[in-house]
Amino acid sequence: MVILEQYLWKGELAMPTKITALTREQRLKIMATLTAAQVQALGEFTRFTILSRFHTRHYLHNTDWVFQGVQVDPWYHMAHAHRGTNLYCDCGRRLKNQFILKSRRTGQVLMLGSAHFAQHAAIPYQVVREIQQGLNAINLYVDRVLVAYQRGQRFPHALYERVVQQHGFAGREQSVFYQRCNLFDQVDLPLLADDVARLRRLLRPDKPRLSPAEKQERYQATLTNWEELAQLVRAFQLRLSQLNLTPQARHRIMINARNYALHRRQNKYYCLDRNEAATLTLTKLRAQVELKLQEISFYAQVTVQHPDQQVEKLHQRAVQMLNKHGRKLVRSRQFGVAEAQTLLA
């Protein structure tokens, strides 16, 4: 084996700096142990990874050429001793990867190997070099898969199934990583350690199953928490009603507090009393706890440095309550907050 030390691109195929590259003889020896489906899968993996790089890196955007596609010969290592059609460059050279380019100006179509991009299509050397580095990274990744296969490693089917069942790939169905996992799963090719770790990160931790008694205990604790928060909100409302404020001002402050709590929430439901709260599910009750915390945050903001001693004590209780729940006192610029501050000044 040859040890290569170089920087490879990071992203879909992130790899360490030091990489083990197989010799041609070693590669052929391992490839001979693969099934036809596994060999074809490695070719398909190479094809869609190249496609992804061309579509995301826009290699040819400053040239006369448009990338039309790529074909990969998975049996290239067998020379002419295999069924199927070989791939060739326009110059007649047999290819492993055949790139299809079309001229923007004339419509001419070229079928080339990457080594002839500069010669036949006048593509700048720096662009060709970057494309070749990407191909080298893909080839080295395949070598690592072959070495892992030779050592007896296979695809982690159980882990992959758990991720799929948990919809861990939701929104990632077009990624090269998902395509690679889906392809290797079908033919039992191994994932590398970095990919297995990435797959594990998509798993959601298993939630412990609670007994009915534990569920009831959590519900009662949440209900008690909501009631404690609701009492503090009512204490603010009561004290503000005793200040020298007009009924309209008191009403505006109360409405602004509720609107502040409901801001950006799709569900505008607001629980009014304990009896009503006790009919909610645990999930909905927790949502009401969040609303009360937002309401308390509103009152804490509008009563900063208020001259009334009782209001100041309520303000301190509100800050303590927010801290207890892991919240910090914010300074919102919403109109409702500014209006309440003006009414209380």
Side-chain angles (χ1 to χ4, degrees), residues 169-208:
F169 284 105
R172 302 181 177 91
E173 294 87 348
Q174 302 303 316
S175 69
V176 170
F177 181 55
Y178 173 71
Q179 293 179 64
R180 181 162 71 247
C181 288
N182 189 41
L183 184 64
F184 285 13
D185 173 49
Q186 296 174 38
V187 296
D188 204 23
L189 285 173
L191 288 180
L192 303 185
D194 293 341
D195 287 335
V196 173
R198 185 175 178 182
L199 202 55
R200 291 187 186 282
R201 289 196 293 272
L202 296 178
L203 274 179
R204 294 195 301 271
D206 293 330
K207 294 182 179 180

Side-chain angles (χ1 to χ4, degrees), residues 269-337:
Y269 171 69
Y270 181 91
C271 184
L272 295 173
D273 56 48
R274 188 186 189 283
N275 291 335
E276 188 177 349
T279 66
L280 302 177
T281 63
L282 180 57
T283 300
K284 291 182 178 180
L285 186 57
R286 284 172 173 164
Q288 292 301 310
V289 168
E290 291 298 316
L291 289 182
K292 285 300 178 189
L293 285 169
Q294 284 293 92
E295 206 169 358
I296 287 172
S297 175
F298 174 89
Y299 282 113
Q301 291 177 66
V302 302
T303 56
V304 173
Q305 296 181 343
H306 195 277
D308 184 83
Q309 290 186 357
Q310 292 189 42
V311 171
E312 176 61 22
K313 289 180 180 179
L314 290 173
H315 170 82
Q316 294 300 328
R317 280 182 57 192
V319 173
Q320 292 172 4
M321 188 69 73
L322 292 172
N323 290 337
K324 176 182 174 182
H325 287 81
R327 310 296 175 84
K328 292 182 179 180
L329 182 60
V330 298
R331 295 289 188 272
S332 173
R333 296 182 179 180
Q334 285 190 27
F335 171 78
V337 174

Side-chain angles (χ1 to χ4, degrees), residues 24-25 32 48 59-60 86-87 89 91 93-94 98 125-126 156 182 195 206 231 258 273 291 306 324 336:
R24 182 177 183 276
E25 291 73 19
F48 66 64
Y59 289 127
L60 308 179
N86 291 311
L87 302 176
C89 179
C91 69
R93 179 184 178 186
R94 187 165 170 266
Q98 183 191 66
Y125 170 75
Q126 183 60 36
N182 189 41
D195 287 335
D206 293 330
Q231 287 176 352
R258 189 170 299 179
D273 56 48
L291 289 182
H306 195 277
K324 176 182 174 182

Side-chain angles (χ1 to χ4, degrees), residues 90-306:
D90 281 350
C91 69
R93 179 184 178 186
R94 187 165 170 266
L95 299 174
K96 178 181 179 181
N97 305 314
Q98 183 191 66
F99 296 86
I100 305 170
L101 309 181
K102 183 176 181 180
S103 171
R104 305 174 199 267
R105 183 172 49 85
T106 67
Q108 179 187 7
V109 175
L110 296 179
M111 296 185 179
L112 306 173
S114 60
H116 284 182
F117 276 16
Q119 179 180 346
H120 295 293
I123 294 173
Y125 170 75
Q126 183 60 36
V127 175
V128 175
R129 183 171 179 271
E130 189 176 352
I131 293 171
Q132 193 58 55
Q133 285 178 339
L135 294 176
N136 290 341
I138 296 171
N139 292 334
L140 288 169
Y141 185 92
V142 171
D143 279 357
R144 293 180 71 200
V145 171
L146 291 175
V147 170
Y149 186 87
Q150 184 186 47
R151 292 173 178 171
Q153 298 177 31
R154 297 297 182 267
F155 189 83
H157 298 287
L159 173 61
Y160 177 65
E161 284 301 316
R162 285 181 61 198
V163 173
V164 171
Q165 290 171 4
Q166 293 184 2
H167 305 289
F169 284 105
R172 302 181 177 91
E173 294 87 348
Q174 302 303 316
S175 69
V176 170
F177 181 55
Y178 173 71
Q179 293 179 64
R180 181 162 71 247
C181 288
N182 189 41
L183 184 64
F184 285 13
D185 173 49
Q186 296 174 38
V187 296
D188 204 23
L189 285 173
L191 288 180
L192 303 185
D194 293 341
D195 287 335
V196 173
R198 185 175 178 182
L199 202 55
R200 291 187 186 282
R201 289 196 293 272
L202 296 178
L203 274 179
R204 294 195 301 271
D206 293 330
K207 294 182 179 180
R209 293 188 176 183
L210 302 177
S211 66
E214 289 173 324
K215 290 181 180 179
Q216 183 61 26
E217 182 179 351
R218 288 196 177 187
Y219 187 88
Q220 288 299 325
T222 306
L223 183 59
T224 301
N225 189 18
W226 179 88
E227 192 171 17
E228 183 180 10
L229 297 172
Q231 287 176 352
L232 182 54
V233 170
R234 289 195 295 270
F236 267 112
Q237 292 172 347
L238 176 62
R239 183 54 191 164
L240 294 183
S241 70
Q242 297 169 347
L243 299 179
N244 188 24
L245 298 173
T246 65
Q248 293 83 357
R250 292 196 299 269
H251 179 73
R252 285 298 304 166
I253 293 172
M254 184 181 71
I255 293 300
N256 286 353
R258 189 170 299 179
N259 288 338
Y260 180 85
L262 293 169
H263 182 59
R264 292 182 180 176
R265 290 185 176 267
Q266 292 183 350
N267 189 346
K268 301 299 183 180
Y269 171 69
Y270 181 91
C271 184
L272 295 173
D273 56 48
R274 188 186 189 283
N275 291 335
E276 188 177 349
T279 66
L280 302 177
T281 63
L282 180 57
T283 300
K284 291 182 178 180
L285 186 57
R286 284 172 173 164
Q288 292 301 310
V289 168
E290 291 298 316
L291 289 182
K292 285 300 178 189
L293 285 169
Q294 284 293 92
E295 206 169 358
I296 287 172
S297 175
F298 174 89
Y299 282 113
Q301 291 177 66
V302 302
T303 56
V304 173
Q305 296 181 343
H306 195 277

